[in-house]
Amino acid sequence: MTLEYKMKRIKSGIPGFDDLIQGGFPENTTVLVAGGTGTGKTTFGLQFIYKGAEEYGEPGVFVTLEERAKDIRREVKSFGWDFKALENKGLIAIIDGVSSAVGLPSEEKFALEEKFNIDNFLRYIYRVVKSINAKRLVIDSIPSLAFRLEDERQIREVLLKLNTILLEMGVTTILTTEAPDPQAGKISRYGIEEYISRGLVLLDLQERNIELKRYLLIRKMRETKHSMRKYPFEITNTGIVVYPSGEIY
Amino acid sequence: MTLEYKMKRIKSGIPGFDDLIQGGFPENTTVLVAGGTGTGKTTFGLQFIYKGAEEYGEPGVFVTLEERAKDIRREVKSFGWDFKALENKGLIAIIDGVSSAVGLPSEEKFALEEKFNIDNFLRYIYRVVKSINAKRLVIDSIPSLAFRLEDERQIREVLLKLNTILLEMGVTTILTTEAPDPQAGKISRYGIEEYISRGLVLLDLQERNIELKRYLLIRKMRETKHSMRKYPFEITNTGIVVYPSGEIY
Amino acid sequence: MTLEYKMKRIKSGIPGFDDLIQGGFPENTTVLVAGGTGTGKTTFGLQFIYKGAEEYGEPGVFVTLEERAKDIRREVKSFGWDFKALENKGLIAIIDGVSSAVGLPSEEKFALEEKFNIDNFLRYIYRVVKSINAKRLVIDSIPSLAFRLEDERQIREVLLKLNTILLEMGVTTILTTEAPDPQAGKISRYGIEEYISRGLVLLDLQERNIELKRYLLIRKMRETKHSMRKYPFEITNTGIVVYPSGEIY
Amino acid sequence: MTLEYKMKRIKSGIPGFDDLIQGGFPENTTVLVAGGTGTGKTTFGLQFIYKGAEEYGEPGVFVTLEERAKDIRREVKSFGWDFKALENKGLIAIIDGVSSAVGLPSEEKFALEEKFNIDNFLRYIYRVVKSINAKRLVIDSIPSLAFRLEDERQIREVLLKLNTILLEMGVTTILTTEAPDPQAGKISRYGIEEYISRGLVLLDLQERNIELKRYLLIRKMRETKHSMRKYPFEITNTGIVVYPSGEIY
Amino acid sequence: MTLEYKMKRIKSGIPGFDDLIQGGFPENTTVLVAGGTGTGKTTFGLQFIYKGAEEYGEPGVFVTLEERAKDIRREVKSFGWDFKALENKGLIAIIDGVSSAVGLPSEEKFALEEKFNIDNFLRYIYRVVKSINAKRLVIDSIPSLAFRLEDERQIREVLLKLNTILLEMGVTTILTTEAPDPQAGKISRYGIEEYISRGLVLLDLQERNIELKRYLLIRKMRETKHSMRKYPFEITNTGIVVYPSGEIY
Amino acid sequence: MTLEYKMKRIKSGIPGFDDLIQGGFPENTTVLVAGGTGTGKTTFGLQFIYKGAEEYGEPGVFVTLEERAKDIRREVKSFGWDFKALENKGLIAIIDGVSSAVGLPSEEKFALEEKFNIDNFLRYIYRVVKSINAKRLVIDSIPSLAFRLEDERQIREVLLKLNTILLEMGVTTILTTEAPDPQAGKISRYGIEEYISRGLVLLDLQERNIELKRYLLIRKMRETKHSMRKYPFEITNTGIVVYPSGEIY
C-alpha cells in the first residue's frame, strides 16, 4: 500500500540546522527548545523569527515574558539584526509580556494586560497572529508563563491547551524552556514539557578540558527522520551556526 | 504432573519484536510501554493498533489523551499508514480525549466528555470496544490520565481498577507511560505503573560516542519466557523495527 | 553453658534455596521478599504456597492484593501448577483482595470486603488460616496493603501489628514489597519494611554486557546462619530455580 | 599541669571489641549503634545485656519496641543464650514495648502501657532500672520510639531529654537506630541521633566480589582514644565476634 | 545588511577580567555573580564599586543585606581600600540593609527601613542612585533579599521586577547569589536567578590534590562575545586578580 | 595609595592552626566550625575557650545546648583540662542550655530559662560576657539553637541577628554546626550558616584504605590570607593538634 505524502517544511533560519531535519520543521508543528542558562534558547527563537521574516518573507510573532521588547531589540543589534525595520514592514510583531507583570506602562504596540489569564493570553496571541498573518510564533518561555499562573501545577493543562490551540492557528511554533540538567535526564523544568510537545531540540554545554563547548541534540521531531547525534554550534556575531559535520569532543 | 497449557499470542505488528516473547503478547494481558520523550512509545502503540487491523484483521481502539485524533492521523502518514481508511472499515476507532479537556468541540465520532470521571471513562471505552468488537486497545498515556484526576495520587487506585476491568473486556492492552530516567531505575512517572501491569517494555536511549541509539528491553512479561537483553531498534519510514540480533554498543 | 536448641525448618519449595538457609525458613517466622518489578517476587510467594501444599502437604493461604485469584490461577499454569486442584483438596486458599477494591463482585470463596480495615483484614486471614489449618501464608504485597490505608504513613504501625499477630497465628509468612533501587540501598518502598521483618530476601537484576541477569541475596534471616553472597537464579518453565554454585558476573 | 583522671570501663561482652576502645565503654555513657537491616544492631544490644549479666554480674534492662520479649528469648537461643534463667536471677529485665502498641495483652512482668508518653516511658524505665539495680540499658530502637510519638519531628527533643536523663540514672546505655546508607553519609534515620549521642558505632556491609562482608566502625567515643579503622566482624553461633586484626577487603 | 552598532563597556575594575568580555560589562546590564561560600562574590561586588569610583570616577551604590556597612568598611581595609574617603567625596554610597532587619538603630546615612517591601526597596535604591548620580550598583545578595519577603517563592516575581526597573535606572548592576553546587549544575539558590539575569559569572573551587583552587567561568553575557573557559583567579592583598592565560588544573 | 592597617589576632589555642591564618582569628569576628558527627567540633570550641583562658589569660564563655555543663567538665578531663579551676578564677563561664530544655533543675551558676526566646538568649549571653569581661565565646551548636525555635526556618533571621549582635559585643566567636556531607558540598545543616558567617573551618574525614583520617579545611576567613589546603589533624590526649606540613592521603 502506498500513500501519497507531502509535507511543507519551515526553514529555521539557522545555518546548518535544517539539514538535520529533512529541510526544516514540519509546518504547523510545535517544537520545544530546551537548555540551561546561557545556552542560546532565546537567540534560537529570535533568529527563527528574524530570518523567517527577512529571508523567507514569512511574518512572525515573538512573545517575550522575560525581557522587554525594547531590550530585545537593543540586544539583537549585536547580531546585526534590525527588528524595528521588519516590525515597521508588518513582518514581525513583538508582544511585550513583561511591562504589565512588573507594573510599568508599556510603550509597545502589542502588550499583555496586567491580569494574566491563559484564555485571554491565547486570544490575544491569536489576534496578533491574524493581524500580521503570521506563519511563525515563539513564546519565550514556558517557566515564565507558568509563574504567571495562580498555581504552577496548572502548567500541564495549559501546555495541552496551548499545544492544541496553536495547531488550530496554523502557525509553526517554538516554545523555550529551562533544562536544569540535560545530561542527568532533566531536560525541562516541569518534567512534562517534552512529553506534550511534538519536537524537542536540546541546547547544552559539554566541558572539554576547562572549556565549555556548545552542542545541540534533536531528541524528537514528529513526521521527520532526524539524527540523534550531538552537533556543535556557536553563537557568532551573526547569530547561531550549527556544524553538522563537526565534533563536540 | 503435566498440565495441558496453551495460550493464544497476539502479534505486536512490530518486525522483530514477537520473536522475543514467544510469538506475541499473551492474549488478554495488559502491557506497559515506558520510555522518555522521543523514544517511540506512541508510535509503538499506534503500530500495534494499525498493524493489528491491517495485517491480522483484529479491530483496535486507540485512546489519545495528548494529541487530537486528526493530528495523529496526519502524523502517521509519514509511516505510510492510512488510519482513516481502516476507521471507515470499522477496524480502528480513535477516542479523542483531548478536545474536551482543552475546551474545543470535537469533530470526532468518538470523544470523551468534558467532565472526566474514571468510571465513565471505562464505560465509554467498553462501549467503543464492543461497537467494533475490538481485540486490541491502547491508552496513551497514563500520566495524561492521571493529570485529569482530581488528585494525581488516585492513580494507583485507578490503575488497579483499569487493569482488572480491561481483563474483563477481553482485550489485549498497551498502556504508555513516561520514564524519567530508566538507567537510574526510574522507569515510570509514578513509580507504581510497572508493579501493577503484567508486562513491561522499556524504550530507552544509550549514548554511543556523541549519538543516541535506541534500544528496547522487556523487563517483565507474565506467562512468557523472554530474554532480558537490550535490543536495538529504529524508527524507520515504515514504523518501528527491532533487531533481535543487533548490538546497541 | 550448653542450651538444647532445635528448630523446625520450613521448606521454601524453591530448588537450591533451602541449602542457603540451613534447610529452610525458621518455622513461624515472617520473611520479606523485596525486589523491583519483574524480579519474581509474586512467583516466589506462589511457589512457596504451591510446593508447600503439593510436595510437603502443608496447607497455605495466598492473599492477593494486586491481581484477581482467577488471573493468578491462569498465569501459574505456564509453570505447570494447578492451583484449583489443590484448592479443591483444601490445601490452598486464595483470598481475593482485588475485586472489592475495584468495585467488582467476586466469584471467589474467599474475598475481602470492600471497606478495608486492618483489624478486619487480620481477623479474616486468621479465619481462613484456621479453616484449612494453614502452615504457610503469603501477602502480596505490602504497598498494595498500604495504599488501602487511609494514610500510607500508618504502614509502620500496621507492619508492627501484622508481624506480631502473624507470630501468634503460628504460620510461616512471606510478605512481598517493592524495592525501588536495591543497589543504591533502597530495598523497600517505605524504607521500614526490612527493619520490622525477621528475614529479608532481595531479588534483583544485574546488567552483564547488555543483558540483565537475576540474582538473589539473603540480607537477613534470624535464627539462621546464612551466606550473604549474591546467587544467580532463573524463572524456568517450572518456576524459580536458584544456583548456589553459580556466578552472576 | 597534671590532672588525676580515672574512668571505669564497661565491658561490651563482644570478643575483640573492647580492645578498640581502651577496654570498654566509658561508664555512664550513651552509645548509638547504627546500621542497616540485618547488620546485627539488635544482636549487639542483646549481647551487651546478656554478657554483662552472665560474665560480669552487671544487671541490665532491655527495652524492646520491635519484637515481643518472648520472640527475643526464642531467637537468642540460637546463640546459646538463656535469657529466662538470668531474668529469674534478677540479672536481666526485658521491657515489652510491643504488645500494648499492637493491642495485645502482655504476659510479661515488665510491659509499657498502651498510651505512649515520653515522660511515663522514662519513669517506667527508671523504675525497672532501680528494681534490679541495673548498670546497663538498651533501647531497641530509636525509630520505633519515634513512631510512637504524635509527631516524629519531636524526636530531637526526646533524644536530648533521653540522653540527659539516662546520665542521671547512672546506666551505660546502647540506643539502636537505622542507618539508611552509611557509605553515603546517611548514618541515622533522622540525621540527628549521631549528634546527640556521645558514642557512635556503625555496623555496615561491604561488597567484596558478590558477597557482602560485615564491618564495624567506631565513629565517635567521648573520653576514649579509639581507632577509626573498619574492622570485620561476624555473627557466629555464639554471637558477634570482632576481628581487630582482620581486613574487610 | 549592515547595522551601525556601538556599545559602551563598563570596566569591572578586576585585573584580567575585562579582557574576557570585550573590554567590560555592556553598559546598563545586570550581571549575576554566583558562587559557594568563600568564593569571593562579595569581594567581586565591592571591587566593582570601589575601583569604579577610584579608577574610573564612576559613582556606585553598594546595597548590603548580610553585613553592616561599618563591618564592610573595616574588612576591605585588608585590601587597602578606603571606602570612607570615597563616600565622603560622594563617589560611593553604602545602603545598610542589616541594622533594621536585626532591630538595631543604624548610624548610617543610607539605611533601609525595618518593614521590608520590594517597591519601597526599589524606590529607596532609586533615590540613592540619583543622589550620587551612580553608574554602578551592587545588591549583596539575592537570598538575603528573598528571606526578607513574606514568601520566598515571590523571588521570581521580584527578580523580574528588579531586572526591569534596574534597566530603567540606567545603572550597570551586579547581583550576588549563593550557588549550592555549581559542578552539579546547581548554580543558584532558587534555580531561577540565572535565567532572569542577562549575564552570569560563576565563582567556584576545584580540588587539585588536597588544595582548593579558585576559578571563574562566564556562563552568559548578552551582547558580548565571551570565552567559556574556566580561568583561575586569586584573592590577593589588593583584591581579586584573574589570570586569563593560567590553568586551573 | 597606602592604608595603615593593623589587626589584632586571637590565638586559637590549637597547636598548628594559627600558622594557617596569619597568626590567629581576626579579633571580633565570628567563625563557623562545621563537621559531621565525631569530627571534633565541640572539642575545637572547648579548646578555644580553655586555652584562651589558661595560656592567654583571655576570659571565655561556652554556651552548651547539647550536653550539660557537668558532663562537659567530666569529659574534658580526658584531655587534662580542669574547667572548674578556671571557672573559679572567673576566666571561664559555661552557660547550661540543656537542663531547662529537658525539664531538669540546673545546679549551674549560669543557665538558660525554660522558655526559649532569641532576644532573651542574646541578652543573657551579653550579661555573662560582660560579667567576666569575656573576649571569647562559643555557641555549641546552631542546630540545637534552631530546634529551640518555634519554626526552624527562622534560623536565617536568627543567624543574621546573632552575627550582628556578637560583633557589637566585641567578642571573637565560634559557632558550631553539623555538616551532613562536606565532600558533596553540604557543609551545613541549613545550607545558610556558611553564607552568614565570616569565617568557616570544615572538619571532615577521609577514608584511606579502611581507616578514616581527620582533616581540616579553612574555606573562608575574612581579612585573612589563608591556604585552602586540607590539613591533617588528630585528637590527642591533650586535645586537637593540626599538622600544617602533613598529608591526608
Side-chain angles (χ1 to χ4, degrees), chain D residues 57-174:
Chain D
E58 293 173 4
V61 173
F62 191 91
V63 185
T64 175
L65 297 161
E66 292 189 351
E67 294 183 274
R68 288 176 308 170
K70 68 178 192 184
D71 298 322
I72 285 175
R73 279 184 207 105
R74 188 187 76 167
E75 285 173 16
V76 295
K77 284 181 184 164
S78 67
F79 299 122
W81 302 344
D82 185 352
F83 264 61
K84 200 70 208 171
L86 294 176
E87 287 179 72
N88 291 340
K89 289 186 193 162
L91 281 166
I92 291 182
I94 306 184
I95 300 180
D96 175 7
V98 173
S99 298
S100 64
V102 303
L104 286 177
S106 182
E107 307 147 5
E108 294 294 321
K109 185 168 171 192
F110 304 112
L112 297 183
E113 285 168 34
E114 195 164 343
K115 202 142 172 55
F116 189 84
N117 170 290
I118 188 67
D119 291 315
N120 288 346
F121 175 70
L122 285 168
R123 261 194 290 271
Y124 191 80
I125 289 176
Y126 183 81
R127 232 167 56 209
V128 179
V129 160
K130 288 304 156 201
S131 82
I132 68 165
N133 194 25
K135 299 292 178 228
R136 295 165 179 240
L137 174 67
V138 172
I139 299 177
D140 182 40
S141 65
I142 298 296
S144 294
L145 193 64
F147 122 81
R148 280 163 175 83
L149 301 175
E150 263 179 60
D151 181 351
E152 288 198 20
R153 286 169 297 181
Q154 299 173 340
I155 190 64
R156 182 158 203 147
E157 189 181 342
V158 163
L159 284 175
L160 187 66
K161 189 174 274 192
L162 196 64
N163 213 25
T164 310
I165 306 283
L166 291 174
L167 286 175
E168 284 297 292
M169 287 194 203
V171 290
T172 303
T173 305
I174 284 175

Side-chain angles (χ1 to χ4, degrees), chain A:
Chain A
M1 172 182 152
T2 350
L3 190 81
E4 202 163 325
Y5 178 63
K6 270 188 200 140
M7 162 166 303
K8 210 192 144 196
R9 296 279 165 181
I10 301 296
K11 299 292 182 190
S12 66
I14 290 163
F17 185 77
D18 294 340
D19 296 349
L20 309 176
I21 50 168
Q22 299 190 276
F25 297 116
E27 191 185 18
N28 194 14
T29 206
T30 299
V31 173
L32 190 72
V33 173
T37 191
T39 52
K41 295 179 305 293
T42 300
T43 304
F44 194 106
L46 288 164
Q47 190 164 347
F48 173 71
I49 292 298
Y50 187 76
K51 295 295 179 184
E54 193 207 28
E55 294 187 7
Y56 306 104
E58 294 173 1
V61 173
F62 192 91
V63 185
T64 175
L65 297 161
E66 292 188 350
E67 295 183 275
R68 289 177 306 172
K70 67 179 191 183
D71 299 321
I72 285 174
R73 278 184 208 106
R74 187 187 78 167
E75 285 173 17
V76 295
K77 284 182 186 164
S78 67
F79 299 121
W81 302 343
D82 185 353
F83 264 60
K84 201 68 205 172
L86 294 176
E87 288 178 72
N88 292 339
K89 290 186 192 165
L91 281 166
I92 291 182
I94 306 185
I95 301 180
D96 174 7
V98 172
S99 297
S100 63
V102 304
L104 286 177
S106 182
E107 307 147 5
E108 294 294 320
K109 184 169 172 193
F110 305 112
L112 297 182
E113 288 168 35
E114 195 164 344
K115 202 145 172 53
F116 189 84
N117 170 290
I118 188 67
D119 290 315
N120 288 347
F121 175 69
L122 285 168
R123 260 194 291 272
Y124 191 80
I125 289 176
Y126 184 80
R127 235 168 53 210
V128 179
V129 161
K130 289 303 158 202
S131 82
I132 68 165
N133 195 25
K135 299 295 177 222
R136 297 164 179 241
L137 175 66
V138 172
I139 300 177
D140 183 40
S141 65
I142 297 295
S144 295
L145 193 63
F147 123 79
R148 280 163 174 83
L149 302 174
E150 263 179 60
D151 182 350
E152 288 196 21
R153 285 169 298 180
Q154 298 174 341
I155 190 64
R156 183 160 203 145
E157 190 181 342
V158 164
L159 285 174
L160 187 66
K161 190 173 273 192
L162 195 63
N163 213 25
T164 309
I165 306 283
L166 292 175
L167 287 175
E168 285 297 293
M169 287 194 203
V171 290
T172 302
T173 306
I174 284 175
L175 305 175
T176 64
T177 197
E178 302 163 4
D181 192 358
Q183 285 167 56
K186 290 173 197 158
I187 56 184
S188 65
R189 177 163 287 263
Y190 301 98
I192 53 157
E193 298 95 306
E194 67 268 37
Y195 290 99
I196 285 176
S197 66
R198 302 152 77 90
L200 170 58
V201 178
L202 264 172
L203 308 184
D204 201 8
L205 303 165
Q206 182 89 27
E207 188 167 346
R208 192 172 65 176
N209 295 325
I210 52 164
E211 189 167 358
L212 301 186
K213 310 293 271 184
R214 299 176 192 280
Y215 73 85
L216 167 157
L217 171 66
I218 299 158
R219 268 293 298 267
K220 178 163 77 169
M221 194 65 68
R222 291 275 171 91
E223 302 171 82
T224 304
K225 201 152 169 54
H226 61 90
S227 153
M228 289 207 291
R229 262 191 64 203
K230 294 176 171 178
Y231 295 99
F233 75 94
E234 284 181 1
I235 303 181
T236 72
N237 57 9
T238 57
I240 293 176
V241 177
V242 181
Y243 305 104
S245 58
E247 297 288 330
I248 59 166
Y249 300 105

Side-chain angles (χ1 to χ4, degrees), chain B residues 28-42:
Chain B
N28 195 14
T29 205
T30 300
V31 172
L32 190 72
V33 173
T37 191
T39 52
K41 296 179 304 293
T42 301

Side-chain angles (χ1 to χ4, degrees), chain C:
Chain C
M1 172 181 153
T2 349
L3 189 81
E4 202 163 327
Y5 177 64
K6 269 188 200 140
M7 162 166 305
K8 209 190 144 197
R9 295 282 165 178
I10 301 296
K11 298 293 181 190
S12 65
I14 290 164
F17 185 77
D18 294 339
D19 296 349
L20 310 176
I21 49 168
Q22 299 189 277
F25 297 116
E27 193 185 18
N28 194 14
T29 205
T30 299
V31 173
L32 190 72
V33 173
T37 192
T39 51
K41 296 179 306 290
T42 300
T43 303
F44 194 106
L46 287 164
Q47 190 163 346
F48 173 70
I49 293 298
Y50 187 77
K51 294 296 179 184
E54 193 209 28
E55 293 187 6
Y56 308 104
E58 293 174 2
V61 174
F62 191 91
V63 185
T64 175
L65 297 161
E66 291 188 352
E67 294 184 275
R68 288 176 308 170
K70 68 179 192 183
D71 298 323
I72 285 175
R73 280 184 206 108
R74 187 187 77 166
E75 284 174 16
V76 296
K77 284 181 185 165
S78 67
F79 299 122
W81 302 343
D82 185 352
F83 264 61
K84 201 70 207 171
L86 295 176
E87 287 179 72
N88 291 339
K89 291 186 192 162
L91 281 166
I92 292 182
I94 306 185
I95 300 179
D96 174 7
V98 173
S99 298
S100 63
V102 302
L104 285 177
S106 182
E107 307 147 4
E108 294 294 320
K109 185 170 172 191
F110 305 112
L112 297 182
E113 286 169 33
E114 195 165 342
K115 203 144 170 55
F116 189 85
N117 169 290
I118 188 67
D119 291 314
N120 288 347
F121 175 70
L122 286 168
R123 261 194 291 272
Y124 191 81
I125 288 176
Y126 184 81
R127 233 165 56 209
V128 178
V129 160
K130 288 304 156 201
S131 82
I132 68 164
N133 194 25
K135 299 293 178 227
R136 296 164 179 241
L137 174 67
V138 171
I139 299 176
D140 183 40
S141 65
I142 297 296
S144 294
L145 192 64
F147 121 81
R148 280 163 174 81
L149 302 175
E150 264 179 61
D151 181 351
E152 289 197 20
R153 286 169 296 181
Q154 298 174 342
I155 191 64
R156 182 159 203 146
E157 189 181 342
V158 164
L159 285 174
L160 186 66
K161 189 173 273 192
L162 195 64
N163 213 26
T164 310
I165 306 283
L166 292 174
L167 286 175
E168 285 297 292
M169 288 194 202
V171 290
T172 303
T173 306
I174 284 175
L175 306 174
T176 63
T177 198
E178 301 164 3
D181 192 357
Q183 286 167 55
K186 290 174 198 159
I187 55 184
S188 65
R189 179 165 285 265
Y190 302 98
I192 53 157
E193 297 95 306
E194 67 268 36
Y195 290 99
I196 286 176
S197 67
R198 302 152 75 91
L200 170 59
V201 178
L202 263 173
L203 308 183
D204 202 7
L205 302 164
Q206 181 89 28
E207 187 168 346
R208 192 172 65 177
N209 295 325
I210 53 164
E211 190 167 356
L212 301 187
K213 310 293 272 182
R214 299 176 192 282
Y215 73 85
L216 166 157
L217 170 66
I218 298 158
R219 268 291 299 267
K220 177 161 78 169
M221 194 65 68
R222 292 276 170 91
E223 302 172 82
T224 304
K225 202 154 167 52
H226 62 90
S227 153
M228 287 208 292
R229 262 191 64 203
K230 293 176 173 179
Y231 295 100
F233 75 95
E234 284 181 1
I235 302 181
T236 73
N237 56 9
T238 57
I240 293 175
V241 177
V242 181
Y243 305 105
S245 57
E247 297 289 331
I248 59 165
Y249 300 103

